[in-house]
Amino acid sequence: YIDSMTVGYKCLMRSAEIAGLEDIVEEKPDKKRKKKKEQTAEETASEALGTGTSREAAVDESETAPAEASTPAPADKEKTDGDEKLPAWVMTAIMVVSIVFGMGLALFLFKFLPAKIFTWLAIPFPKLQNTGSDALNSLIKSVFEGVLKIALLVGYMAAISLMKDIRRTFMFHGAEHKTIFCYEAGLELTVENVRRQNRFHPRCGTSFLILMLIVNIFISFFIDPIALQLFETTLNPLARTGVSLLLLPLIVGLGYELIKFAGRHDGILTKIISAPGVWLQHITVLEPTDDMIECAIAAVKEVIPTDDSDRW
């Protein structure tokens, strides 16, 4: 998981770097066209003065030539501007800081904050933690935290989907799903075949996120009862966050097995397992254009194994 996240983030950083260079390259033709337009206007004005001024123009040109020669060519400056890159160690430092910050923010939003909000709500509504049954207390807390985590995730996805670049990314996401469906159906990878496929895939990473949150609700249900048996008291939000982190490998493993099971079988149970993820994919997976489908086909062809090891 950590290796996949690291590789993925490096690819994102490289993509952002290339996108920045493309912006610079797009600016250069505009500058050249503007310069050419100015030169054309000057030539037109000189011709309008007639042949009587050609000698004076020649004298003026000879006088200004040395000054122009001493000035660095704009093309050279543009070349250096476009070729500038950040050192490798700076890019690595940015990546590390971004990963640490992102993980810290995720832990705060999806681990500490839900537990803390429940504690705050229990002050004006004491019945939330004192129902008379330890099991019911734990169930209410687990469901509240789980639903809040899901709401935060859906809200975040919906918010970023309003960004133009993210919507384009979600369209590429749709192209990826359609291409995978086409490949798994044994059809030739063409734009026509891919376009006809469904864009919602049961093994999507979005579905995996939702499944982990749902599994987390069930796993968290046992935290308080076990803590009461061991320590005769419930855990505070910080300790509960620590325990949740220790349980993360179990949650991720169960979520992975569920999504793998849903991908292998097609029935009522798998449809129920896949339903929350498919609902969320209406936000994160959009209909692609044909050029995006072509890009997805090229990417999938590069990773298709020749030994049929992907037939599971």
Side-chain angles (χ1 to χ4, degrees):
Y1 173 77
I2 294 176
D3 180 65
S4 297
M5 184 177 65
T6 303
V7 172
Y9 194 84
K10 285 181 179 179
C11 292
L12 287 174
M13 292 292 290
R14 177 58 179 161
S15 177
E17 181 182 355
I18 293 174
L21 292 177
E22 288 177 350
D23 291 340
I24 295 175
V25 172
E26 289 176 358
E27 290 176 1
K28 290 181 180 180
D30 294 336
K31 294 180 180 178
K32 291 180 179 179
R33 283 194 294 269
K34 183 178 179 181
K35 182 178 179 182
K36 187 175 181 180
K37 186 177 180 181
E38 292 175 351
Q39 291 176 346
T40 304
E42 290 176 358
E43 291 173 358
T44 304
S46 299
E47 291 175 359
L49 293 176
T51 55
T53 59
S54 56
R55 181 178 299 178
E56 296 177 0
V59 172
D60 293 340
E61 183 178 354
S62 62
E63 290 177 353
T64 57
E68 293 178 354
S70 61
T71 304
D76 295 339
K77 185 178 184 301
E78 291 174 1
K79 183 177 180 180
T80 56
D81 290 343
D83 292 340
E84 287 181 359
K85 283 186 178 181
L86 291 174
W89 69 268
V90 175
M91 296 298 295
T92 302
I94 293 175
M95 182 184 70
V96 171
V97 172
S98 299
I99 290 176
V100 172
F101 177 77
M103 293 182 66
L105 183 61
L107 290 176
F108 175 77
L109 289 177
F110 293 98
K111 292 294 182 182
F112 179 77
L113 186 60
K116 192 64 177 176
I117 290 178
F118 182 83
T119 302
W120 290 337
L121 285 177
I123 297 174
F125 304 102
K127 283 292 184 180
L128 289 174
Q129 281 188 318
N130 298 294
T131 61
S133 170
D134 293 337
L136 185 56
N137 292 342
S138 181
L139 178 61
I140 292 175
K141 182 184 292 185
S142 300
V143 171
F144 176 86
E145 293 179 1
V147 170
L148 183 57
K149 291 174 184 177
I150 293 174
L152 287 171
L153 178 64
V154 173
Y156 171 77
M157 292 296 186
I160 65 174
S161 68
L162 300 177
M163 301 169 61
K164 180 180 178 181
D165 289 342
I166 296 299
R167 288 191 64 83
R168 181 172 172 81
T169 301
F170 287 166
M171 292 172 70
F172 274 107
H173 195 180
E176 171 207 346
H177 282 192
K178 285 173 171 286
T179 305
I180 293 297
F181 264 128
C182 185
Y183 174 69
E184 291 177 340
L187 301 174
E188 183 182 0
L189 294 179
T190 63
V191 174
E192 291 74 18
N193 288 339
V194 171
R195 193 190 301 115
R196 291 195 295 266
Q197 305 303 314
N198 189 357
R199 77 176 193 263
F200 305 122
H201 201 287
R203 296 197 311 276
C204 173
T206 304
S207 300
F208 180 58
L209 289 175
I210 285 290
L211 275 177
M212 284 199 303
L213 292 177
I214 294 174
V215 169
N216 182 70
I217 294 176
F218 291 96
I219 298 297
S220 299
F221 167 74
F222 297 98
I223 294 179
D224 281 351
I226 293 175
L228 286 169
Q229 291 294 325
L230 295 177
F231 311 111
E232 298 182 355
T233 183
T234 57
L235 302 177
N236 60 51
L238 187 59
R240 189 176 176 85
T241 300
V243 173
S244 297
L245 288 177
L246 294 176
L247 293 173
L248 192 58
L250 176 62
I251 295 171
V252 172
L254 289 175
Y256 173 77
E257 292 300 329
L258 284 173
I259 200 171
K260 193 173 180 180
F261 177 80
R264 284 179 171 176
H265 303 85
D266 186 16
I268 299 298
L269 179 59
T270 56
K271 290 184 184 298
I272 293 174
I273 294 174
S274 303
V278 171
W279 294 337
L280 185 57
Q281 286 181 48
H282 282 80
I283 299 176
T284 63
V285 185
L286 305 179
E287 282 292 340
T289 58
D290 286 353
D291 58 332
M292 293 178 178
I293 292 176
E294 292 175 355
C295 178
I297 291 174
V300 169
K301 286 182 176 180
E302 288 294 323
V303 297
I304 294 177
T306 57
D307 57 356
D308 291 334
S309 59
D310 59 332
R311 302 295 180 181
W312 54 275

